[in-house]
Amino acid sequence: MIDVIVAGGGPTGLMLAAELRLHGVHVVVLERDAEPPPFVRSLGLHVRSIEVMAQRGLLDRFLAQGQQHPLGGFFAGIHKPAPDRLDTAHPYVLGIPQTTTDRLLAERAVELGTEIRRGCELVGLSQDEHGVTVELADGTHLRSRHLVGCDGGRSTVRKLIGVDFPGEPSRVDTLLGEMEVTAPPETVTAVVTEVRKTEKRFGLGPVGDGVFRVVVPAEGVADDRAAPPALEEFKRQLRVFADTDFGVHSPRWLSRFGDATRLVERYRVGRVLLAGDAAHIHPPVGGQGLNLGIQDAFNLGWKLAAVVAGWAPAGLLDSYHAERHPVAAGVLDNTRAQMELLSPEPGPQAVRRLLSELMDFDDVSRYLTEKIIATGIRYDFGAGHELLGRRLRDVRLKQRRLYELMHTGRGLLLDQTGRLSAAGWADRVDHVVDVSEELDTPAVLLRPDGHVAWIGEDQRDLLSHLPTWFGAATD
């Protein structure tokens, strides 16, 4: 029997597969498309996702394929300098096309032993107390202990398990595509600059080889969400907003997206779980979607692996929903707010001007920036130290950095006292004695996802907290 079937070979599914394989879980990824999509939807990684890659030793691969950009201008496109004192060792956004992100994550998953089956469409499923049976479009069946639906906003898995997906339908559509233009680059730049003074959902930018990425508001909301727009629709809408269609021709791909905002009521039904766009959809303002999915997978992977291995404490798998559902709800709210601020109507524009003034205060700018880059997240681990429940940044230790110690995906007891022990959990938790001038605590216990589970220096107190996240001690 397969341990975990992951439905969907996008960034969420591939990240999850790699996380599971770190712990020896037998994973099969089912991807409906026979080949990876050639088009680029997401354009970059935010700080928390960059940290995730650093925690698993993958960041150098991504840095070699991307371009670092300064933080700022993410919240509703309001351009302000990056706030001071951001709590991260990686204060930048990494510009990298999703096609490259998908490739790098697929390479990582395969390196670790993941089986990726392309051209395999899941069409049915049933579950019992022992596992999940999956039916494929060709009539074959697979059996696994667990199934995770990472199959996008139109998730088949979500529909088959009957989870409600409440929220709001699209009110506006935006056209998105890649195509060639005949207009001179200086003309494109000048026109786009002028149009964007009043219409933020408009843009043309070069992506290489004479091809431009084109974004323009659609005329209305499409009845058939799956049907791509025609090139003529792009031309018409470009002329509406810019008085020119820039001579667009020879499209590579054409699509549309709306501002629908939905969040599942629960992330788990028995042995079936949901992650990424299968669990939540929202407008792409702020570029949070891909990042949110990768971070879902990072939260879920070690917990599901613990269940498969048999050492998971009671409630560990349910903590996935408890922690990630509020995070997604927060993203939905901030994208709703940003969409309002993008409206050209006088009321939203007045609020936009006021918010722009408020963002000149560093605390306001930091607060809104942290919402986008996901470094402000604090899971509810109860009352305690201000670091409890937060991820710990990549602090510098005496001879190395913290994230270099987390590549294996295990828990970590970082002990600055040299007096503590996690001997009963040595198969799940690494004990490292080292010191950092950046860490003003005697010792911290980190979960595999880098969130602080305990702070202190008392051995008995530590022993009372280890089982909460790492199960019973071994003899």
Side-chain angles (χ1 to χ4, degrees), residues 362-426:
D362 199 65
D363 286 347
V364 175
S365 180
R366 183 183 307 103
Y367 179 78
L368 293 176
T369 298
E370 287 180 348
K371 280 188 172 294
I372 302 295
I373 65 178
T375 57
I377 294 169
R378 182 178 188 177
Y379 298 143
D380 184 7
F381 294 174
H385 193 281
E386 63 178 2
L387 286 178
L388 189 66
R390 297 187 182 276
R391 100 281 180 257
L392 187 59
R393 72 177 183 276
D394 191 13
V395 298
R396 186 178 298 281
L397 305 175
K398 191 172 183 180
Q399 295 180 332
R400 53 198 158 179
R401 299 202 72 100
L402 173 67
Y403 289 178
E404 295 174 27
L405 302 173
M406 306 189 72
H407 294 179
T408 61
R410 292 155 52 89
L412 175 66
L413 174 61
L414 178 58
D415 179 7
Q416 298 197 99
T417 72
R419 301 189 303 268
L420 299 173
S421 172
W425 292 265

Side-chain angles (χ1 to χ4, degrees), residues 87-110:
D87 182 34
T88 182
H90 303 277
Y92 55 89
V93 62
L94 184 64
I96 186 169
Q98 184 175 334
T99 49
T100 303
T101 295
D102 288 354
R103 175 175 58 79
L104 293 175
L105 290 176
E107 290 172 356
R108 170 64 166 174
V110 171

